Each structure stands twice: as structure tokens, then as C-alpha cells.
Amino acid sequence: MLRAAGVGVGDEVVVPAFGNVEVAEAVTLAGALPVFADIDPVTYCLDPDAVEAAVTSRTAAVVAVHRFGRHADITRLHALGQRHGLLVLEQGESEAPYDEIAQRRQRAAYLDARLKGVRTPDGGDGHTYQQYVVRVPGNGRPDRDAFARAVRARGVECRVPVKTPVHRLPEFRRYVSLPETERAADETLALPVDAGLTKREMHRVVSACNALGGLLQPAF
């Protein structure tokens, strides 16, 4: 799509650094330069204000990536694109059947009401819970990683959704200030909400997390 729109050598394309190295790779394959902007800490998608701050005279496009079942603020991004004459592209997630989304939402509501010691996701804006991503408060990566190891030891599958932001990778290393991206990479953990989970399995998730969550203290 970038090539079809004429984006190429000498152009800049604003992209998120939180996950999806493929987006930055697509920009470089088109001959353009990926420029990283920070994310909204609630949706984990591009923050329109951060995108606007990253726009220069060479900016040709913005690629918004929808994450974890939340959508980027496409209305504001399109308005920004119109103001600056930019192409705004979206990368979506695969859509699950409606009944599966409904079951994920039920399991997410169960976790929302029972989890302690972690910050549960904001369920606004039609969240489909492609992933149920919590924040493990504390002093950064060691706390989240220790929490994940302990939860796995109790028989609960969990995963770190973004281990390394793209701007930290050697081939895309940029010295830019992306505080929300860095914080999200250090604190986020995806817990299971698959439609096939039983009540007993959901109870195990809560028990495993709550046995640890109360021990964590917020960072100051």
C-alpha cells in the first residue's frame, strides 16, 4: 500500500515501536524511513499527539496498528492526516466470530472483578480482548518477569506481549523519547481469556495472580 501510494526514498512514515517489527520493515522495503511515535497507555495504539509531534516536512504517511482488541484513534489520526496531507493506513487484527468475542468478554469481566495487585485493561471502545493485557506495577521489567515466572509455575499460561520495542532493535535503533512505549514493554503481561477456558481454569488464573499481586508495590 505504501508503494502504491508513491511512498519511497526520502519519505518518512510514522509508526509505533510497541510491537510489530513487520510494519517498520515494510516502510524500509518501500525505501522510506520509519519514524517512531509513542503510544496511548490505555489502548497501546499510536497517540495522535505523539504522531503530530513526530511529523516533519518529509513525513508522507502514518501506519496505525490496532492492538490486543482495542482500536487506534482513527478519527483523530485521519484529521491529522488531512491537516498535514498524509496518508493514514491501518493494520488490523484478525476478527474472531461474534460468539467467541462474547465469551472472551465474559472471561475478561470475570478477571476484571477478581484480580488484585495488577492493573486490568480498560474495556472501553468495543474491546474484543484479542489479548487480555494487564500491567504488573513495580520497578519495571524484573517485577513483571518474576511475576510471570511465578504464575507459570502455578500452571497458568501467560506471555509478555512485546519483549523488545522496535526502536531498541539493532536494525532500527533510534534514540527517541518514548516513555509510554518503554513502560508498557516493561509492565505488560497477557493472561488467558480464550473462549475454551473452563470456570476452574479461570479460577486458577485468579488464584495464581492474587497469590502474588498483593506483594507488589507501585513504583514511585
Side-chain angles (χ1 to χ4, degrees), residues 15-46:
V15 300
F18 189 64
N20 291 76
V21 67
E22 296 84 3
V23 175
E25 288 174 341
V27 173
T28 58
L29 285 172
L33 177 71
V35 173
F36 300 108
D38 213 354
I39 58 169
D40 181 300
V42 174
T43 66
Y44 301 106
C45 304
L46 278 176

Side-chain angles (χ1 to χ4, degrees), residues 28-167:
T28 58
L29 285 172
L33 177 71
V35 173
F36 300 108
D38 213 354
I39 58 169
D40 181 300
V42 174
T43 66
Y44 301 106
C45 304
L46 278 176
D47 177 356
D49 291 333
V51 172
E52 186 130 37
V55 170
T56 72
S57 60
R58 295 182 296 278
T59 306
V62 177
V63 181
V65 181
H66 306 306
R67 296 207 61 82
F68 309 143
R70 288 295 299 267
H71 280 77
D73 192 340
I74 291 299
T75 300
R76 286 188 61 197
L77 289 173
H78 276 301
L80 184 157
Q82 289 179 345
R83 285 197 304 276
H84 295 281
L86 308 177
L87 175 69
V88 178
L89 300 176
E90 302 176 50
Q91 185 188 55
E93 299 172 301
S94 58
E95 291 292 330
Y98 178 80
D99 57 343
E100 183 176 329
I101 292 173
Q103 291 176 6
R104 285 181 183 172
R105 285 172 173 160
Q106 288 178 351
R107 284 157 178 73
Y110 179 93
L111 295 179
D112 287 346
R114 291 166 176 80
L115 286 177
K116 299 175 182 177
V118 296
R119 277 186 284 156
T120 56
D122 184 309
D125 193 28
H127 203 321
T128 60
Y129 296 100
Q130 299 285 349
Q131 296 187 58
Y132 184 89
V133 177
V134 300
R135 298 259 191 158
V136 180
N139 296 316
R141 185 180 293 274
D143 291 341
R144 188 273 315 280
D145 288 352
F147 185 93
R149 286 194 296 271
V151 167
R152 291 188 191 109
R154 287 165 168 79
V156 173
E157 290 297 323
C158 62
R159 59 182 294 274
V160 175
V162 177
K163 293 182 179 179
T164 306
V166 182
H167 73 293

Side-chain angles (χ1 to χ4, degrees), residues 1-8 26 28-31:
M1 287 189 290
L2 290 168
R3 284 173 172 163
V7 176
T28 58
L29 285 172

